[in-house]
């Protein structure tokens, strides 16, 4: 699903995107002439490679993903550390956003359940 940045309404509108077995859905709306707010939810199964033993592990995703999209280079005028993605060509491509979200999750450090069990760390409850 794609939408031109300038056509994004100020009232929240729904979007959905799907890539492999992960779904990304939620709402988006314009909060300033050059900023769009995304309130999304990632749901599905993702195959991650264990950073320790290298086996492939399937994890279930069910997490919120909220961030801002900037039309071109983002210039922050506040000290807040906001998550802002810069988009190119004035077009928001939700499929592309989802693919980069997945890529960043896959590049994170991941430990499979059996490696976790091998850790002799006291678990806090
Ligand atoms: Zn492992």
């Amino acid at each position: 699903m794609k939408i031109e940045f300038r056509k994004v309404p100020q009232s929240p509108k729904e979007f959905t995107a799907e890539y492999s077995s992960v779904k990304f859905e939620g709402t988006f709306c314009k909060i300033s002439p050059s900023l769009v707010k995304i309130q999304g939810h990632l749901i599905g199964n993702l195959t991650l490679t264990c950073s320790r033993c290298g086996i492939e592990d399937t994890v279930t995703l069910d997490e919120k993903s909220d961030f801002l999209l900037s039309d071109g280079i983002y210039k922050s005028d506040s000290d807040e550390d906001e998550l802002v993605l810069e988009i190119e060509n004035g077009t928001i491509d939700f499929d592309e956003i989802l693919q980069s979200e997945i890529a960043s999750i896959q590049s994170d450090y991941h430990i499979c359940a059996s490696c976790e069990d091998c850790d002799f760390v006291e678990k806090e409850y």
Side-chain angles (χ1 to χ4, degrees):
M1 175 176 168
K2 287 183 192 179
I3 186 168
E4 276 181 58
F5 200 97
R6 60 187 180 85
K7 287 186 179 164
V8 174
Q10 286 179 322
S11 55
K13 203 171 182 293
E14 290 185 357
F15 70 87
T16 55
E18 212 169 335
Y19 181 70
S20 61
S21 52
V22 180
K23 241 184 164 177
F24 184 38
E25 53 188 27
T27 60
F28 64 103
C29 61
K30 200 172 262 185
I31 55 168
S32 88
S34 62
L35 281 180
V36 164
K37 186 180 186 178
I38 307 278
Q39 291 188 290
H41 197 172
L42 286 166
I43 312 155
N45 294 316
L46 192 61
T47 304
L48 298 178
T49 305
C50 176
S51 304
R52 193 170 296 175
C53 69
I55 67 155
E56 292 200 330
D57 195 16
T58 301
V59 294
T60 303
L61 290 178
D62 182 2
E63 54 187 82
K64 282 197 163 148
S65 181
D66 296 350
F67 51 88
L68 300 175
L69 293 177
S70 164
D71 187 11
I73 306 291
Y74 176 69
K75 291 185 200 75
S76 176
D77 45 10
S78 73
D79 293 333
E80 279 180 64
D81 194 18
E82 287 169 299
L83 182 55
V84 180
L85 295 180
E86 290 167 1
I87 60 156
E88 290 165 18
N89 312 321
T91 305
I92 300 171
D93 184 339
F94 289 99
D95 299 298
E96 209 180 282
I97 292 169
L98 173 59
Q99 286 174 36
S100 64
E101 284 278 299
I102 291 173
S104 86
I105 294 171
Q106 286 176 326
S107 66
D108 274 354
Y109 190 69
H110 175 72
I111 292 292
C112 73
S114 57
C115 284
E116 254 178 14
D117 287 345
C118 294
D119 278 338
F120 293 102
V121 179
E122 261 184 44
K123 290 194 174 98
E124 284 177 51
Y125 290 99

